[in-house]
Amino acid sequence: VELNLETVDLLELTADSASEAETLGQAQGLKVALEAKDPCLVRADRNRLRQLLLNVTDNAVKYNRQGGHVHYRVYRDGSQACVDIAS
């Protein structure tokens, strides 16, 4: 697989996934939260990263409980960019 590397805002992609979780989780009454302080620029393949976040988001919604939650957190740990998705 050839990657198309570019500068990507990880916070922006994660916010899109959180918005998708809100839409998908409406019937279950899921609460969705996004915790982040600043844009988080990374060098990545935007489409592959988006696909990864949406797959995890789909699982977080699908395997959640009625009235549950999905919590996203975007942060830096030293030189690494991190995303936590918890439900």
Side-chain angles (χ1 to χ4, degrees):
V1 175
E2 188 173 326
L3 298 177
N4 180 25
L5 298 179
E6 61 183 300
T7 301
V8 176
D9 184 352
L10 188 56
L11 174 55
E12 177 186 316
L13 286 180
T14 305
D16 288 346
S17 292
S19 178
E20 186 73 17
E22 286 180 332
T23 301
L24 293 172
Q26 282 181 346
Q28 291 173 262
L30 295 183
K31 306 283 189 266
V32 177
L34 172 61
E35 177 186 341
K37 294 184 180 178
D38 299 308
C40 189
L41 301 179
V42 296
R43 188 111 174 107
D45 184 310
R46 175 184 299 277
N47 292 329
R48 296 288 180 191
L49 190 52
R50 183 176 185 278
Q51 181 181 26
L52 170 79
L53 289 168
L54 289 176
N55 285 345
V56 175
T57 293
D58 185 57
N59 285 338
V61 171
K62 187 185 305 183
Y63 298 108
N64 214 313
R65 65 190 181 287
Q66 187 72 27
H69 71 278
V70 181
H71 184 261
Y72 295 82
R73 185 168 74 118
V74 179
Y75 62 99
R76 286 231 175 247
D77 184 7
S79 64
Q80 295 192 355
C82 303
V83 176
D84 291 342
I85 303 172
S87 59

